Structure formats: C-alpha cells, structure tokens
Amino acid sequence: MKIETLREISSRNLRTFRNHPVSEISGSLGDLGTFLPIAIALAVNGTVSLSSTLIFSGIFNILTGLFFGIPLPVQPMKAIAAVAIARSFSNGTIAAAGIFVGACILLFSVTGLLRWFADVIPIPVIKGIQVGAGLSLVIASAGKTLAPLGWIHPSWADNRLWAVAAFIFLLFTNVYRNVPYALLVFALGLTFALVQSALAASLPSLEIWRPFVVIPGLPEWKVGALDAGVGQIPLTTLNSIVAVVHLAGDLLPRVKTPSITAVGLSVAGMNLVGCWFGAMPVCHGSGGLAAQYRFGARSGSSVVFLGVLKLVIGIFFGETLVGLLKRFPSALLGVMVIAAGLELVSVGESLNTTGARDIAMFGQGLTGDGEHEIGPMLSDVERKRRWTVMMVTVGLLVGFKNDAIGFVAGMLCHWVFQLPWAFERARERWSEGRIRV
C-alpha cells in the first residue's frame, strides 16, 4: 500500500473522529453482542486465553482501521467456535483449526482464487448471503439469548423487561439516528455487571499478561483442521471476505472499498499470528460491519478506538475479566445482535434498484438522480428472477444453518434461469455454422 494512501486514510480517520467522536465510539461497540458471548464461552472452557484474545484482536482492530479506513470488524470464527464449545476443544486444537483456515485463505488470496470467486458470484447470491446472515443473527439471538429469559429472571439486571426496554429504545433510535445507542446500552450493561460483581466480591483485579506459545500436537491438528476448520472455510470465504467487501461498498460508497485479496490476506494474517499465542480464531464478518455502521461508525477510527481499549484491558486485567463479562446482561447483548441482524437484512432492499452494484452503472443514467429507483433496464421477469435467486439463497442458508448450502442452492437457481439464454446462444451459433457436429 502506498504511503500517500495510508496518509489519506489516517487523515480521514482523524477528521471523522474529531467531528463525530460519540458516534464513532458508539459504533465501535456495535459488534460486542457477537464477540463477547463467544469469547467468554471459549475462555470459561479453557479453550482460549481471554487475555491473548483481547490483546491480539485489539492489535488486529487497530491495524484494520489504519490500513482499510472503514469500521471492518474483528469477529470470532463462528463455525470453529461452535464446534470448540460443543466438544470442549483444547488450546492446541482450536489453534490448529484457526491456523489451518488461515493457511487456506492465504493460498486462495495469493493464487487469485478469491478474486475469481468473487467475480463469478452473481449479485443476487451475494445479497442472499448477506440477508441470510442477518436473519440468522436475529433468529439465534431471539432463540438462544432472549427466549430463555423470564420476565423478572434470572436477575433484576437481566430479564425480558430489560430486553423489551432495550428494543423500544432501539426503535426510538431508528428515528433519532444521532443517539449513541450502543454506547448507552453498553454503559448500562457494564454498570449492572459491575454492581453484581461487587455484591459477589468478584471484581476484576490487576493481572499483567504473560505471553505463551501454543504448539498443537498431531492429533490436535487432525481434529482441529478436519472437524472444525473445513466447515469454517466456506463461511469465511463467503461471509467474511466476499460479502463483507460488497457490503462495505454498499454502506460506504464514498470510501475506497478494500479489495477481495487485501481482506483475504488480512484474515489469513490474523490467524497465522494470533492462534499461536492462544487467541481465538477471528475473521471479518458482514454482520459485524453492519452492526458497527448501524450504531454510528463511519471510519477506521472506530475500530482503532476499540482496539486500543481491548489492548489495554487485555494487558492489565486479562483472565480476571471472565467473571465480570459473564454477568453482562444477555437481554442487552441480545437486542444489540438483533439490531445488527436487521441492518444486514436491509441490504436486500436494493437488489433490483440502482443500489445493486451490477445495475448501478445503468441506474445513474436512466433515473437521472442516482436515487435507489427501479430502473427500466430490468423487466418484471428479470426482477422476479433476481428476487427468487436471492430468496432461495436466504431460505436454504437459514434453513440448514449453513452458508455453503445456501450458496450452492442460489448458484443452481441462477444457472437454471440462464438456460434459455444459453440455449438461444447455442442455436444462433449453430445457425451461423460456428458449431459443427
């Protein structure tokens, strides 16, 4: 990357933070609803080091903000985390899974496979992956985080009443977007957690981080790579690289979008470094970007702020934070995740408008004002077909809880719709004598 580009990014980051500090700070906290529950669950099981996870994810947050200049998140690798939590992976096993995925993504990036892959995927399938990921967040949060809560249980600080209040407040901020929702909700939740920790005499204490190296054994490589890593690769490729690059272009059209290869190298580098030190495998996810954007983040300064915060807390408090974070109200985290999911779902609205990247070049000239209007370049049949491809992708992704299945289904639907055109082209070539038996 050129020095001039880095200076331009740094200048924009500083300018944005100076002009809108509260929005950037609020936005930086938007993805904690996904990060905290998974990090805590893995730390409680002894699968990862919370200190190392905070420190390395903090470093990656800072580098991401400085090099890309957008609020690109650093999220847990969810497929790996799900298997690791269910099977109580050791440090070495989850490290092997993360390193394996990082090595595969590095290979895809340097060989150009990622770039080719992104070029051949139609926009309706990409938007289907985004919408499906958003719906999955909403369903998971409602079913696993909020549904178990009672109206006044499990505690005065964590129950359905607080969830309802947080949701009403979220609706309020749809009208008044300048209200720093994530910052206020996080401050309230942290206050509740501190009060409960003080009552239980289990407040965090000073504990300086001591780095250590994790070297997986041969059985750990086998289990980590095959049982968790292989399932993570399509999720990382589709949602954390291809979809997140397209989403960045949709949400921040005036900011230079990172290339597919650059994001792929970033994901690879994070895991090829951090996992050796007991940190949680991480990636860049479209859900996290949508969350941080929804709560006010518009530049890399937001994730730089979050990174510095993680770094300081990880170095000086580390593992002593587990008890405090476990007491953070699920009611508040759950609603934050729902907000992120709804923001991601909303990108599907632009499928058949000039907001879709593949028809935007025509929309500007045909609509005249560049607004997201349905342009005459798409017939009713074409719009219906695009919508069908997107919804097939969404439906099977959500139904099977698998990005790869949704992707394959969407591509098959797209190819079937292309058959009449392919047959007509073959017939024309035959009539011209360009195809001979």
Side-chain angles (χ1 to χ4, degrees), residues 154-284:
S155 73
W156 60 269
D158 191 14
N159 51 57
R160 288 186 185 178
L161 292 177
W162 282 113
V164 171
F167 185 72
I168 293 174
F169 185 33
L170 176 66
L171 297 178
F172 174 82
T173 60
N174 285 327
V175 179
Y176 300 97
R177 285 271 179 165
N178 291 330
V179 176
Y181 179 87
L183 181 59
L184 295 175
V185 170
F186 180 76
L188 179 64
L190 186 60
T191 301
F192 287 172
L194 285 169
V195 169
Q196 292 184 95
S197 295
L199 293 174
S202 60
L203 286 170
S205 59
L206 186 65
E207 184 180 284
I208 304 300
W209 177 60
R210 296 180 181 179
F212 63 94
V213 176
V214 176
I215 302 178
L218 185 58
E220 292 174 321
W221 280 110
K222 182 179 179 181
V223 173
L226 297 180
D227 293 2
V230 171
Q232 180 67 51
I233 291 174
L235 178 61
T236 295
T237 304
L238 295 170
N239 185 50
S240 302
I241 300 176
V242 176
V244 81
V245 169
H246 281 264
L247 182 63
D250 291 340
L251 296 180
L252 301 163
R254 298 182 181 179
V255 182
K256 184 178 180 181
T257 304
S259 69
I260 294 286
T261 301
V263 175
L265 291 173
S266 176
V267 171
M270 290 190 297
N271 292 285
L272 291 176
V273 174
C275 291
W276 292 104
F277 297 92
M280 175 176 63
V282 292
C283 59
H284 303 303

Side-chain angles (χ1 to χ4, degrees), residues 76-412:
M77 285 191 172
K78 298 180 184 65
I80 289 179
V83 177
I85 293 169
R87 298 176 55 176
S88 298
F89 273 6
S90 65
N91 292 142
T93 306
I94 196 170
I99 294 167
F100 172 76
V101 174
C104 290
I105 297 301
L106 176 63
L107 178 64
F108 298 162
S109 300
V110 298
T111 58
L113 282 174
L114 275 181
R115 180 68 264 170
W116 174 83
F117 191 59
D119 288 341
V120 300
I121 302 176
I123 292 297
V125 174
I126 291 175
K127 286 193 176 291
I129 293 168
Q130 294 170 337
V131 173
L135 285 176
S136 296
L137 285 176
V138 174
I139 293 169
S141 178
K144 296 180 180 179
T145 305
L146 299 179
L149 298 176
W151 286 107
I152 57 174
H153 299 291
S155 73
W156 60 269
D158 191 14
N159 51 57
R160 288 186 185 178
L161 292 177
W162 282 113
V164 171
F167 185 72
I168 293 174
F169 185 33
L170 176 66
L171 297 178
F172 174 82
T173 60
N174 285 327
V175 179
Y176 300 97
R177 285 271 179 165
N178 291 330
V179 176
Y181 179 87
L183 181 59
L184 295 175
V185 170
F186 180 76
L188 179 64
L190 186 60
T191 301
F192 287 172
L194 285 169
V195 169
Q196 292 184 95
S197 295
L199 293 174
S202 60
L203 286 170
S205 59
L206 186 65
E207 184 180 284
I208 304 300
W209 177 60
R210 296 180 181 179
F212 63 94
V213 176
V214 176
I215 302 178
L218 185 58
E220 292 174 321
W221 280 110
K222 182 179 179 181
V223 173
L226 297 180
D227 293 2
V230 171
Q232 180 67 51
I233 291 174
L235 178 61
T236 295
T237 304
L238 295 170
N239 185 50
S240 302
I241 300 176
V242 176
V244 81
V245 169
H246 281 264
L247 182 63
D250 291 340
L251 296 180
L252 301 163
R254 298 182 181 179
V255 182
K256 184 178 180 181
T257 304
S259 69
I260 294 286
T261 301
V263 175
L265 291 173
S266 176
V267 171
M270 290 190 297
N271 292 285
L272 291 176
V273 174
C275 291
W276 292 104
F277 297 92
M280 175 176 63
V282 292
C283 59
H284 303 303
S286 55
L289 175 58
Q292 291 174 168
Y293 180 89
R294 168 64 181 81
F295 295 125
R298 296 294 184 273
S299 75
S301 63
S302 60
V303 288
V304 170
F305 171 85
L306 179 62
V308 172
L309 189 63
K310 286 182 181 178
L311 195 57
V312 172
I313 293 175
I315 290 174
F316 293 105
F317 295 98
E319 309 303 327
T320 69
L321 286 169
V322 173
L324 172 67
L325 296 179
K326 284 177 65 178
R327 291 184 171 89
F328 196 98
S330 297
L332 303 184
L333 282 178
V335 176
M336 290 176 68
V337 173
I338 286 176
L342 294 176
E343 184 70 27
L344 195 50
V345 167
S346 69
V347 304
E349 177 271 336
S350 64
L351 173 67
N352 290 325
T353 72
T354 54
R357 185 171 299 193
D358 57 342
I359 60 176
M361 66 179 71
F362 303 106
Q364 288 287 341
L366 291 169
T367 61
D369 55 7
E371 294 295 329
H372 290 183
E373 300 291 340
I374 295 176
M377 80 295 297
L378 292 180
S379 66
D380 289 340
V381 172
E382 289 171 326
R383 288 197 294 270
K384 185 175 181 179
R385 286 179 175 179
R386 287 167 64 89
W387 179 260
T388 300
V389 171
M390 184 180 79
M391 294 311 298
V392 166
T393 306
V394 171
L396 272 76
L397 186 156
V398 173
F400 284 94
K401 300 179 181 179
N402 189 306
D403 285 46
I405 292 177
F407 166 72
V408 171
M411 290 301 297
L412 288 174

